[in-house]
Structure formats: structure tokens, C-alpha cells
Amino acid sequence: MSHVRDTKISPNIVPARTSHQAVLERTIARLQDKVVDPDLFRLFENAYPNTLDTAVLWTGFADKSNVGLPSANYSTTSDEDLAFIITGDINAMWLRDSANQILSYLPLLEPSESSQSIAALFRGVINLQSRYIKISPYCHAFQPPPESNIAPATNFAYHLNKVNPAYDRSKTYDCKWELDSLASFLQISSEYYNSTGDMRPFTNYKWIETVGVILDTVEAMRTATYTADGHIAPSGYTMTGQTNRATETTSNDGLGNPVKYTGMIRSTFRPSDDATIHQFLVPSNMMFARYLDTASAIMAECKNQEVDTTKRQEAENLTQRMRIMSAEIRVGITNYGIFRHPLFGPIFAYEVDGYGSHNLMDDANLPSLISSALTGYVSPRDEVYLNTRLFALSEANPYWSYGPVFSAVGGPHNGPTRGWPLASIVRIMTSEDGSGEEAKEEIKAILNTTDGLGLIHESIDAWDVKKWSRQWFSWANGMFGQMILDIEKNRPYLLDETYQ
């Protein structure tokens, strides 16, 4: 069969695979006979291993000296898996990105004690993120662990930013307070537990302590800007930056724009690493509430397995705190996060401040408003969600990028007219169109964006396919593979189509 598109990867595009997984190779081979369109299969074959090809920079075990364990004379190594996952172009580990990069292999996850398994990658990310969060709970990107012997990366913006609390740049690469970073840790913890039933990452190391740190951290960011008598209330995090981009700094000497108490949690930055306008970022609060609740089941099981009375009580207290806070955030979203739009009816706002101000938009980065159905915060058939989805995928959304080459949700990170294939993937995975036409159109659109490089970019100009960012974006590539497996399971007829 002839190919309209050239999706063949040049040998120089992607380096040798950094992590080999037999289960992934078997999955690719199995799909070859199921995916009719040759370009669709080729993109799946190229894209799904992309994190393993480019981003698993190091795996190993924790040194006892780094986790507070006594070292025996014959060994300094513990049995705690660690996995250092980079975004692709910087030798630093983002909490959100690394969780999502590995979560794309959730359909392949099965219980395994092997240090070379998919399960070990999940455990390694959970364990290393747990360490990072205890080091700097307000930060989002971290340096390689000392066990890896990888040199720390240089962040040239370090001296331009004033962050409180201060952080150690030998351990932390960058420090933007993004609520979704902590939500991502809870998500990958929940998904691993639900898929494997393995409690070792949660009972054998310091996961319980990390959750306590998370709860204390977010509690400090639930406060209003003003105290009852009109003074400025203390803030858990502040940040200012010397920059020519408004999205790289905050107003009011690092406090951000004022907010009133709503029950939600303030987020100084979005998952795109861009500053929020109104600090109650609704998609991040949705995600945090959802996975705080699911992770409470792990904490309850920690209590059941604990024999020490004091530690049992600690786990029980944390379980209750998690469930109460999750419920309070949901109430806050319902009371303050819904706006009655003149065209679409009630929709979720992207950001609010508790005073009545709303930022009406959606962003391609996850969590987004559209992805709230994917995470399970809301049903994909919920009226407010469906209204929000229609809004986000229309010209009413200021960051809906549309043109003859590619139409998708974008965002301020790469600017107007730049749609993100990641947003199209989420659109497909949340589609309730029984005919499959919406998914078909989006699959075809994604296949037309590779510019002959055979991998999924971060963003593409709506008017010029050769104007893109990142040769490959491993998060989007992995999620594309996850999407194909979801289609195979739930809408296999889409794999019988041709998309030429």
C-alpha cells in the first residue's frame, strides 16, 4: 500500500532505547495485524516506546545513606527502586511529566518484583518523587539523585528568581508551585496500587510521611490573601522573577492576585509552567481532589497493615484528612468554579479567585478542563462537563487554535495559533460520539502533523506544518500509544479505518 505521509523515522532522530520492555514489544507486534492504516500503525510503533527510547535516563536502587537507613558493612544499597525520568531535553525530572510519561504504560502494568519490569519503573518514579517532595514540596522539577552519578543540570534562571521558601539547587532544578505536581504523585501511586495490589512502595519506605508533607503543604495554600482584620495573611509560597514574559512571574511581590477562601487550593503556576491569573486553578483542584480521595484507600490499607499503634493512628488520621479535604475541594469547585455562559450554559471556569472573577479558557496541558472526565473527577456525560467541552473546542475559547493545517486547544506557553496534539489525544479519549466521527477526524489530523519525522510534536502552527516545537514530546507520544490501546479495547472499529 502506498503512503501519503512519510512517517518513517530517520536513524538520527531518536537515539538507542534507554529501557527495553518485552511486554511493549509484544504489544506492538500484536497491534500490527489489528491496525489497518499503515501510517497509523507506524506512528503507534514509533510513538509508544518514546519514553523508553529517550527519557529513562537512569534506574537503580536507593543508597541507604540517602533514605535514612543504617548501612551494613557489606552493602549500602537498599531494595528501594528509583527511576530518573527526564522530559527529553533537560536532565531534570518534572513531577508531573515523569508521572504521566510512565502512566502511559498503565495498560501494560502487571505485578512484578523484577527490577527490569514496567512495575519497577512505576515503583521507581513513586519512590523518587516521594523523596523529592520531602526535599522541596513547593517545587516541580528536580536534579538527578546522587545514586545515579549524573551531574546536576544548570538552571540559568535560578539567579533571576526569588522563591520563598528557598531551595537547594543541587537537589532541586526549578521551583514553581504547581498543584498538579503533587496530584500527579497521588495519581501514579493510586494507579499502581489499583493495578497491582502491591503495597511495598507505600509501607516499606516513607510514602506515609510524604502524604503528610503534601497535606501540610496544600493546607498552607488554601488561605485567603487577607486575614479577618485586613492584614496580609502568610503564604506558604511566594515567587517573583526577572523576565520579559509575564507568565514567568507573579504580581503583588510574589503573592499573586488576591483570593478569598473557597475550600480550593491556590496554584501559583499552571501545568504548562505558566503563571496563573486567578490562583484557584480549577482543573488542578479537580485532579487533586480526585486522586487525594483514591489515594486515601492506600492510606487506609497502610493502617490495616501497620502493627505499631502510633503509626496506625497516624495512618488513620491521614486517611480522614485526605477524605475531608477532597470533599471540601469538590464543594469549593461546585460553589465557585461554575460560570453560566450566555452561549453554552453552565460551564467550569479555568481559574477563579473567590471574589467572582473567572478566567474562561482551557489549556492543552494536563490537567485541563476537558481531561477532568479522563481522570474520573466528573462523568463524560455530566451536563456541565459537556457544556465545558463544547466551549473549549470552539472559538469561544481564547486558546482554541484553528487553521487549515491543524485545529486543537493550545495555550500561552507556546502562544496563539499553536495547537497541541496532546489536546487532540485527550479529545479522542473523552469523546462520547457513538459514530466515531469525532475520533476519526482527530486521528487523521494528528497523522498530518508529524512533518515527516514520524513522532508527535509538542505544538504545531495552525497554518504551517513545518512550524512546530520539539522534535518529539515523549509525554504526548506515550499517551498516543495509550490512546490506541484504549481504542482497541473500547472502539476497535476505529482501527479498521484508513486515514489517508
PDB file of all heavy atoms in Angstrom, residues 272-305:
ATOM      1  N   SER A 272       1.412  24.035  32.560  1.00  0.00           N
ATOM      2  CA  SER A 272       2.271  24.488  31.463  1.00  0.00           C
ATOM      3  C   SER A 272       3.507  25.207  31.979  1.00  0.00           C
ATOM      4  O   SER A 272       4.353  25.630  31.176  1.00  0.00           O
ATOM      5  CB  SER A 272       1.489  25.433  30.550  1.00  0.00           C
ATOM      6  OG  SER A 272       1.039  26.558  31.292  1.00  0.00           O
ATOM      7  N   ASP A 273       3.633  25.389  33.289  1.00  0.00           N
ATOM      8  CA  ASP A 273       4.673  26.185  33.944  1.00  0.00           C
ATOM      9  C   ASP A 273       4.442  27.682  33.770  1.00  0.00           C
ATOM     10  O   ASP A 273       5.329  28.489  34.078  1.00  0.00           O
ATOM     11  CB  ASP A 273       6.087  25.829  33.459  1.00  0.00           C
ATOM     12  CG  ASP A 273       6.500  24.403  33.800  1.00  0.00           C
ATOM     13  OD1 ASP A 273       5.858  23.795  34.675  1.00  0.00           O
ATOM     14  OD2 ASP A 273       7.463  23.897  33.189  1.00  0.00           O
ATOM     15  N   ASP A 274       3.271  28.076  33.292  1.00  0.00           N
ATOM     16  CA  ASP A 274       2.915  29.490  33.165  1.00  0.00           C
ATOM     17  C   ASP A 274       2.160  29.943  34.414  1.00  0.00           C
ATOM     18  O   ASP A 274       1.398  29.175  35.012  1.00  0.00           O
ATOM     19  CB  ASP A 274       2.023  29.713  31.944  1.00  0.00           C
ATOM     20  CG  ASP A 274       2.694  29.305  30.649  1.00  0.00           C
ATOM     21  OD1 ASP A 274       3.865  29.661  30.466  1.00  0.00           O
ATOM     22  OD2 ASP A 274       2.055  28.624  29.824  1.00  0.00           O
ATOM     23  N   ALA A 275       2.345  31.195  34.786  1.00  0.00           N
ATOM     24  CA  ALA A 275       1.684  31.721  35.981  1.00  0.00           C
ATOM     25  C   ALA A 275       0.171  31.766  35.798  1.00  0.00           C
ATOM     26  O   ALA A 275      -0.332  32.049  34.702  1.00  0.00           O
ATOM     27  CB  ALA A 275       2.209  33.117  36.291  1.00  0.00           C
ATOM     28  N   THR A 276      -0.546  31.490  36.882  1.00  0.00           N
ATOM     29  CA  THR A 276      -2.000  31.630  36.859  1.00  0.00           C
ATOM     30  C   THR A 276      -2.380  33.110  36.909  1.00  0.00           C
ATOM     31  O   THR A 276      -1.607  33.959  37.368  1.00  0.00           O
ATOM     32  CB  THR A 276      -2.637  30.907  38.048  1.00  0.00           C
ATOM     33  OG1 THR A 276      -2.004  31.344  39.271  1.00  0.00           O
ATOM     34  CG2 THR A 276      -2.493  29.406  37.927  1.00  0.00           C
ATOM     35  N   ILE A 277      -3.582  33.407  36.452  1.00  0.00           N
ATOM     36  CA  ILE A 277      -4.144  34.758  36.605  1.00  0.00           C
ATOM     37  C   ILE A 277      -4.934  34.815  37.907  1.00  0.00           C
ATOM     38  O   ILE A 277      -4.679  35.663  38.761  1.00  0.00           O
ATOM     39  CB  ILE A 277      -5.022  35.111  35.386  1.00  0.00           C
ATOM     40  CG1 ILE A 277      -4.168  35.154  34.114  1.00  0.00           C
ATOM     41  CG2 ILE A 277      -5.729  36.458  35.607  1.00  0.00           C
ATOM     42  CD1 ILE A 277      -4.959  35.329  32.836  1.00  0.00           C
ATOM     43  N   HIS A 278      -5.886  33.913  38.046  1.00  0.00           N
ATOM     44  CA  HIS A 278      -6.587  33.717  39.318  1.00  0.00           C
ATOM     45  C   HIS A 278      -6.083  32.397  39.900  1.00  0.00           C
ATOM     46  O   HIS A 278      -6.023  31.377  39.210  1.00  0.00           O
ATOM     47  CB  HIS A 278      -8.096  33.670  39.101  1.00  0.00           C
ATOM     48  CG  HIS A 278      -8.642  34.868  38.394  1.00  0.00           C
ATOM     49  ND1 HIS A 278      -8.412  36.152  38.813  1.00  0.00           N
ATOM     50  CD2 HIS A 278      -9.407  34.968  37.268  1.00  0.00           C
ATOM     51  CE1 HIS A 278      -9.006  36.999  38.003  1.00  0.00           C
ATOM     52  NE2 HIS A 278      -9.617  36.313  37.052  1.00  0.00           N
ATOM     53  N   GLN A 279      -5.749  32.398  41.175  1.00  0.00           N
ATOM     54  CA  GLN A 279      -4.930  31.304  41.715  1.00  0.00           C
ATOM     55  C   GLN A 279      -5.678  29.996  41.969  1.00  0.00           C
ATOM     56  O   GLN A 279      -5.030  28.956  42.132  1.00  0.00           O
ATOM     57  CB  GLN A 279      -4.244  31.754  42.998  1.00  0.00           C
ATOM     58  CG  GLN A 279      -3.225  32.862  42.776  1.00  0.00           C
ATOM     59  CD  GLN A 279      -2.446  33.175  44.033  1.00  0.00           C
ATOM     60  OE1 GLN A 279      -1.637  32.391  44.502  1.00  0.00           O
ATOM     61  NE2 GLN A 279      -2.734  34.346  44.599  1.00  0.00           N
ATOM     62  N   PHE A 280      -6.988  30.038  42.012  1.00  0.00           N
ATOM     63  CA  PHE A 280      -7.724  28.781  42.155  1.00  0.00           C
ATOM     64  C   PHE A 280      -7.890  28.164  40.758  1.00  0.00           C
ATOM     65  O   PHE A 280      -8.849  28.434  40.041  1.00  0.00           O
ATOM     66  CB  PHE A 280      -9.079  29.004  42.822  1.00  0.00           C
ATOM     67  CG  PHE A 280      -8.965  29.439  44.261  1.00  0.00           C
ATOM     68  CD1 PHE A 280      -9.642  30.555  44.716  1.00  0.00           C
ATOM     69  CD2 PHE A 280      -8.181  28.733  45.166  1.00  0.00           C
ATOM     70  CE1 PHE A 280      -9.548  30.961  46.039  1.00  0.00           C
ATOM     71  CE2 PHE A 280      -8.069  29.129  46.487  1.00  0.00           C
ATOM     72  CZ  PHE A 280      -8.753  30.256  46.926  1.00  0.00           C
ATOM     73  N   LEU A 281      -6.914  27.365  40.404  1.00  0.00           N
ATOM     74  CA  LEU A 281      -6.857  26.718  39.094  1.00  0.00           C
ATOM     75  C   LEU A 281      -7.766  25.495  39.150  1.00  0.00           C
ATOM     76  O   LEU A 281      -7.433  24.481  39.752  1.00  0.00           O
ATOM     77  CB  LEU A 281      -5.411  26.345  38.784  1.00  0.00           C
ATOM     78  CG  LEU A 281      -5.110  25.654  37.465  1.00  0.00           C
ATOM     79  CD1 LEU A 281      -5.589  26.479  36.272  1.00  0.00           C
ATOM     80  CD2 LEU A 281      -3.614  25.375  37.340  1.00  0.00           C
ATOM     81  N   VAL A 282      -8.906  25.581  38.510  1.00  0.00           N
ATOM     82  CA  VAL A 282      -9.953  24.573  38.675  1.00  0.00           C
ATOM     83  C   VAL A 282      -9.519  23.184  38.217  1.00  0.00           C
ATOM     84  O   VAL A 282      -9.726  22.207  38.942  1.00  0.00           O
ATOM     85  CB  VAL A 282     -11.261  25.035  37.986  1.00  0.00           C
ATOM     86  CG1 VAL A 282     -12.313  23.923  38.009  1.00  0.00           C
ATOM     87  CG2 VAL A 282     -11.807  26.293  38.675  1.00  0.00           C
ATOM     88  N   PRO A 283      -8.909  23.014  37.021  1.00  0.00           N
ATOM     89  CA  PRO A 283      -8.526  21.651  36.624  1.00  0.00           C
ATOM     90  C   PRO A 283      -7.559  20.986  37.601  1.00  0.00           C
ATOM     91  O   PRO A 283      -7.663  19.778  37.860  1.00  0.00           O
ATOM     92  CB  PRO A 283      -7.871  21.857  35.255  1.00  0.00           C
ATOM     93  CG  PRO A 283      -8.387  23.147  34.757  1.00  0.00           C
ATOM     94  CD  PRO A 283      -8.600  23.988  35.971  1.00  0.00           C
ATOM     95  N   SER A 284      -6.625  21.747  38.144  1.00  0.00           N
ATOM     96  CA  SER A 284      -5.676  21.172  39.099  1.00  0.00           C
ATOM     97  C   SER A 284      -6.363  20.805  40.399  1.00  0.00           C
ATOM     98  O   SER A 284      -6.032  19.783  41.022  1.00  0.00           O
ATOM     99  CB  SER A 284      -4.526  22.151  39.360  1.00  0.00           C
ATOM    100  OG  SER A 284      -3.726  22.291  38.199  1.00  0.00           O
ATOM    101  N   ASN A 285      -7.315  21.612  40.834  1.00  0.00           N
ATOM    102  CA  ASN A 285      -8.079  21.271  42.031  1.00  0.00           C
ATOM    103  C   ASN A 285      -8.937  20.034  41.797  1.00  0.00           C
ATOM    104  O   ASN A 285      -9.096  19.197  42.688  1.00  0.00           O
ATOM    105  CB  ASN A 285      -8.939  22.458  42.477  1.00  0.00           C
ATOM    106  CG  ASN A 285      -8.184  23.413  43.374  1.00  0.00           C
ATOM    107  OD1 ASN A 285      -8.154  23.250  44.593  1.00  0.00           O
ATOM    108  ND2 ASN A 285      -7.561  24.420  42.770  1.00  0.00           N
ATOM    109  N   MET A 286      -9.500  19.916  40.594  1.00  0.00           N
ATOM    110  CA  MET A 286     -10.257  18.710  40.252  1.00  0.00           C
ATOM    111  C   MET A 286      -9.377  17.467  40.372  1.00  0.00           C
ATOM    112  O   MET A 286      -9.754  16.462  40.986  1.00  0.00           O
ATOM    113  CB  MET A 286     -10.795  18.814  38.824  1.00  0.00           C
ATOM    114  CG  MET A 286     -11.914  19.799  38.619  1.00  0.00           C
ATOM    115  SD  MET A 286     -12.273  19.948  36.835  1.00  0.00           S
ATOM    116  CE  MET A 286     -13.910  20.672  36.870  1.00  0.00           C
ATOM    117  N   MET A 287      -8.211  17.540  39.768  1.00  0.00           N
ATOM    118  CA  MET A 287      -7.302  16.403  39.769  1.00  0.00           C
ATOM    119  C   MET A 287      -6.835  16.064  41.177  1.00  0.00           C
ATOM    120  O   MET A 287      -6.792  14.896  41.574  1.00  0.00           O
ATOM    121  CB  MET A 287      -6.102  16.713  38.873  1.00  0.00           C
ATOM    122  CG  MET A 287      -5.098  15.579  38.763  1.00  0.00           C
ATOM    123  SD  MET A 287      -3.682  16.052  37.728  1.00  0.00           S
ATOM    124  CE  MET A 287      -2.738  14.526  37.771  1.00  0.00           C
ATOM    125  N   PHE A 288      -6.497  17.096  41.942  1.00  0.00           N
ATOM    126  CA  PHE A 288      -6.015  16.846  43.300  1.00  0.00           C
ATOM    127  C   PHE A 288      -7.111  16.221  44.155  1.00  0.00           C
ATOM    128  O   PHE A 288      -6.866  15.265  44.906  1.00  0.00           O
ATOM    129  CB  PHE A 288      -5.516  18.144  43.932  1.00  0.00           C
ATOM    130  CG  PHE A 288      -4.796  17.932  45.228  1.00  0.00           C
ATOM    131  CD1 PHE A 288      -3.455  17.567  45.242  1.00  0.00           C
ATOM    132  CD2 PHE A 288      -5.448  18.083  46.440  1.00  0.00           C
ATOM    133  CE1 PHE A 288      -2.788  17.351  46.445  1.00  0.00           C
ATOM    134  CE2 PHE A 288      -4.793  17.864  47.642  1.00  0.00           C
ATOM    135  CZ  PHE A 288      -3.456  17.502  47.642  1.00  0.00           C
ATOM    136  N   ALA A 289      -8.331  16.749  44.055  1.00  0.00           N
ATOM    137  CA  ALA A 289      -9.440  16.194  44.836  1.00  0.00           C
ATOM    138  C   ALA A 289      -9.691  14.737  44.470  1.00  0.00           C
ATOM    139  O   ALA A 289      -9.916  13.889  45.344  1.00  0.00           O
ATOM    140  CB  ALA A 289     -10.704  17.023  44.611  1.00  0.00           C
ATOM    141  N   ARG A 290      -9.655  14.447  43.185  1.00  0.00           N
ATOM    142  CA  ARG A 290      -9.901  13.084  42.716  1.00  0.00           C
ATOM    143  C   ARG A 290      -8.876  12.101  43.272  1.00  0.00           C
ATOM    144  O   ARG A 290      -9.229  11.066  43.849  1.00  0.00           O
ATOM    145  CB  ARG A 290      -9.880  13.086  41.190  1.00  0.00           C
ATOM    146  CG  ARG A 290      -9.738  11.723  40.529  1.00  0.00           C
ATOM    147  CD  ARG A 290     -10.919  10.823  40.771  1.00  0.00           C
ATOM    148  NE  ARG A 290     -10.787   9.583  40.008  1.00  0.00           N
ATOM    149  CZ  ARG A 290     -11.506   8.494  40.226  1.00  0.00           C
ATOM    150  NH1 ARG A 290     -12.425   8.493  41.172  1.00  0.00           N
ATOM    151  NH2 ARG A 290     -11.331   7.420  39.485  1.00  0.00           N
ATOM    152  N   TYR A 291      -7.591  12.419  43.111  1.00  0.00           N
ATOM    153  CA  TYR A 291      -6.569  11.452  43.494  1.00  0.00           C
ATOM    154  C   TYR A 291      -6.224  11.504  44.977  1.00  0.00           C
ATOM    155  O   TYR A 291      -5.663  10.546  45.508  1.00  0.00           O
ATOM    156  CB  TYR A 291      -5.341  11.615  42.603  1.00  0.00           C
ATOM    157  CG  TYR A 291      -5.645  11.163  41.202  1.00  0.00           C
ATOM    158  CD1 TYR A 291      -5.691  12.068  40.139  1.00  0.00           C
ATOM    159  CD2 TYR A 291      -5.950   9.832  40.937  1.00  0.00           C
ATOM    160  CE1 TYR A 291      -6.005  11.642  38.858  1.00  0.00           C
ATOM    161  CE2 TYR A 291      -6.272   9.402  39.661  1.00  0.00           C
ATOM    162  CZ  TYR A 291      -6.304  10.308  38.628  1.00  0.00           C
ATOM    163  OH  TYR A 291      -6.632   9.888  37.358  1.00  0.00           O
ATOM    164  N   LEU A 292      -6.570  12.591  45.641  1.00  0.00           N
ATOM    165  CA  LEU A 292      -6.469  12.585  47.100  1.00  0.00           C
ATOM    166  C   LEU A 292      -7.443  11.557  47.667  1.00  0.00           C
ATOM    167  O   LEU A 292      -7.120  10.822  48.615  1.00  0.00           O
ATOM    168  CB  LEU A 292      -6.785  13.982  47.650  1.00  0.00           C
ATOM    169  CG  LEU A 292      -6.477  14.223  49.128  1.00  0.00           C
ATOM    170  CD1 LEU A 292      -4.990  14.109  49.417  1.00  0.00           C
ATOM    171  CD2 LEU A 292      -6.988  15.605  49.546  1.00  0.00           C
ATOM    172  N   ASP A 293      -8.609  11.487  47.076  1.00  0.00           N
ATOM    173  CA  ASP A 293      -9.618  10.525  47.521  1.00  0.00           C
ATOM    174  C   ASP A 293      -9.194   9.091  47.205  1.00  0.00           C
ATOM    175  O   ASP A 293      -9.283   8.204  48.054  1.00  0.00           O
ATOM    176  CB  ASP A 293     -10.961  10.845  46.874  1.00  0.00           C
ATOM    177  CG  ASP A 293     -12.072   9.933  47.356  1.00  0.00           C
ATOM    178  OD1 ASP A 293     -12.274   9.844  48.581  1.00  0.00           O
ATOM    179  OD2 ASP A 293     -12.727   9.299  46.520  1.00  0.00           O
ATOM    180  N   THR A 294      -8.729   8.840  45.971  1.00  0.00           N
ATOM    181  CA  THR A 294      -8.339   7.476  45.625  1.00  0.00           C
ATOM    182  C   THR A 294      -7.124   7.018  46.423  1.00  0.00           C
ATOM    183  O   THR A 294      -7.033   5.854  46.823  1.00  0.00           O
ATOM    184  CB  THR A 294      -8.042   7.347  44.119  1.00  0.00           C
ATOM    185  OG1 THR A 294      -6.983   8.241  43.756  1.00  0.00           O
ATOM    186  CG2 THR A 294      -9.271   7.663  43.286  1.00  0.00           C
ATOM    187  N   ALA A 295      -6.189   7.938  46.671  1.00  0.00           N
ATOM    188  CA  ALA A 295      -5.001   7.571  47.451  1.00  0.00           C
ATOM    189  C   ALA A 295      -5.335   7.327  48.914  1.00  0.00           C
ATOM    190  O   ALA A 295      -4.566   6.660  49.619  1.00  0.00           O
ATOM    191  CB  ALA A 295      -3.938   8.658  47.325  1.00  0.00           C
ATOM    192  N   SER A 296      -6.471   7.833  49.377  1.00  0.00           N
ATOM    193  CA  SER A 296      -6.860   7.573  50.773  1.00  0.00           C
ATOM    194  C   SER A 296      -7.116   6.090  50.994  1.00  0.00           C
ATOM    195  O   SER A 296      -6.980   5.591  52.118  1.00  0.00           O
ATOM    196  CB  SER A 296      -8.097   8.398  51.153  1.00  0.00           C
ATOM    197  OG  SER A 296      -9.276   7.900  50.515  1.00  0.00           O
ATOM    198  N   ALA A 297      -7.471   5.361  49.939  1.00  0.00           N
ATOM    199  CA  ALA A 297      -7.654   3.907  50.057  1.00  0.00           C
ATOM    200  C   ALA A 297      -6.325   3.218  50.347  1.00  0.00           C
ATOM    201  O   ALA A 297      -6.266   2.227  51.087  1.00  0.00           O
ATOM    202  CB  ALA A 297      -8.279   3.347  48.783  1.00  0.00           C
ATOM    203  N   ILE A 298      -5.241   3.745  49.758  1.00  0.00           N
ATOM    204  CA  ILE A 298      -3.908   3.203  50.054  1.00  0.00           C
ATOM    205  C   ILE A 298      -3.560   3.478  51.509  1.00  0.00           C
ATOM    206  O   ILE A 298      -3.053   2.604  52.224  1.00  0.00           O
ATOM    207  CB  ILE A 298      -2.850   3.832  49.134  1.00  0.00           C
ATOM    208  CG1 ILE A 298      -3.203   3.642  47.668  1.00  0.00           C
ATOM    209  CG2 ILE A 298      -1.467   3.251  49.441  1.00  0.00           C
ATOM    210  CD1 ILE A 298      -2.259   4.360  46.711  1.00  0.00           C
ATOM    211  N   MET A 299      -3.834   4.698  51.957  1.00  0.00           N
ATOM    212  CA  MET A 299      -3.515   5.058  53.334  1.00  0.00           C
ATOM    213  C   MET A 299      -4.307   4.203  54.315  1.00  0.00           C
ATOM    214  O   MET A 299      -3.776   3.780  55.364  1.00  0.00           O
ATOM    215  CB  MET A 299      -3.813   6.547  53.563  1.00  0.00           C
ATOM    216  CG  MET A 299      -3.298   7.077  54.894  1.00  0.00           C
ATOM    217  SD  MET A 299      -1.497   7.033  55.046  1.00  0.00           S
ATOM    218  CE  MET A 299      -1.047   8.373  53.936  1.00  0.00           C
ATOM    219  N   ALA A 300      -5.560   3.925  54.001  1.00  0.00           N
ATOM    220  CA  ALA A 300      -6.371   3.071  54.877  1.00  0.00           C
ATOM    221  C   ALA A 300      -5.781   1.670  54.960  1.00  0.00           C
ATOM    222  O   ALA A 300      -5.778   1.045  56.035  1.00  0.00           O
ATOM    223  CB  ALA A 300      -7.808   3.019  54.358  1.00  0.00           C
ATOM    224  N   GLU A 301      -5.263   1.170  53.835  1.00  0.00           N
ATOM    225  CA  GLU A 301      -4.633  -0.152  53.851  1.00  0.00           C
ATOM    226  C   GLU A 301      -3.305  -0.129  54.598  1.00  0.00           C
ATOM    227  O   GLU A 301      -2.934  -1.117  55.253  1.00  0.00           O
ATOM    228  CB  GLU A 301      -4.433  -0.649  52.417  1.00  0.00           C
ATOM    229  CG  GLU A 301      -3.913  -2.072  52.314  1.00  0.00           C
ATOM    230  CD  GLU A 301      -4.820  -3.105  52.973  1.00  0.00           C
ATOM    231  OE1 GLU A 301      -6.044  -2.859  53.087  1.00  0.00           O
ATOM    232  OE2 GLU A 301      -4.295  -4.160  53.380  1.00  0.00           O
ATOM    233  N   CYS A 302      -2.594   0.990  54.533  1.00  0.00           N
ATOM    234  CA  CYS A 302      -1.377   1.145  55.344  1.00  0.00           C
ATOM    235  C   CYS A 302      -1.716   1.005  56.828  1.00  0.00           C
ATOM    236  O   CYS A 302      -0.982   0.354  57.594  1.00  0.00           O
ATOM    237  CB  CYS A 302      -0.733   2.495  55.087  1.00  0.00           C
ATOM    238  SG  CYS A 302       0.057   2.687  53.468  1.00  0.00           S
ATOM    239  N   LYS A 303      -2.829   1.606  57.218  1.00  0.00           N
ATOM    240  CA  LYS A 303      -3.257   1.490  58.613  1.00  0.00           C
ATOM    241  C   LYS A 303      -3.554   0.032  58.958  1.00  0.00           C
ATOM    242  O   LYS A 303      -3.154  -0.463  60.017  1.00  0.00           O
ATOM    243  CB  LYS A 303      -4.506   2.340  58.839  1.00  0.00           C
ATOM    244  CG  LYS A 303      -5.014   2.338  60.280  1.00  0.00           C
ATOM    245  CD  LYS A 303      -6.485   2.709  60.369  1.00  0.00           C
ATOM    246  CE  LYS A 303      -7.356   1.556  59.899  1.00  0.00           C
ATOM    247  NZ  LYS A 303      -8.789   1.762  60.162  1.00  0.00           N
ATOM    248  N   ASN A 304      -4.228  -0.658  58.057  1.00  0.00           N
ATOM    249  CA  ASN A 304      -4.594  -2.056  58.332  1.00  0.00           C
ATOM    250  C   ASN A 304      -3.378  -2.958  58.470  1.00  0.00           C
ATOM    251  O   ASN A 304      -3.407  -3.947  59.207  1.00  0.00           O
ATOM    252  CB  ASN A 304      -5.502  -2.582  57.220  1.00  0.00           C
ATOM    253  CG  ASN A 304      -6.848  -1.888  57.182  1.00  0.00           C
ATOM    254  OD1 ASN A 304      -7.295  -1.324  58.188  1.00  0.00           O
ATOM    255  ND2 ASN A 304      -7.496  -1.903  56.041  1.00  0.00           N
ATOM    256  N   GLN A 305      -2.304  -2.633  57.748  1.00  0.00           N
ATOM    257  CA  GLN A 305      -1.118  -3.482  57.772  1.00  0.00           C
ATOM    258  C   GLN A 305      -0.105  -3.089  58.835  1.00  0.00           C
ATOM    259  O   GLN A 305       0.851  -3.823  59.084  1.00  0.00           O
ATOM    260  CB  GLN A 305      -0.451  -3.483  56.393  1.00  0.00           C
ATOM    261  CG  GLN A 305      -1.298  -4.104  55.300  1.00  0.00           C
ATOM    262  CD  GLN A 305      -0.525  -4.309  54.011  1.00  0.00           C
ATOM    263  OE1 GLN A 305       0.699  -4.266  53.988  1.00  0.00           O
ATOM    264  NE2 GLN A 305      -1.263  -4.553  52.918  1.00  0.00           N
TER     265      GLN A 305
END
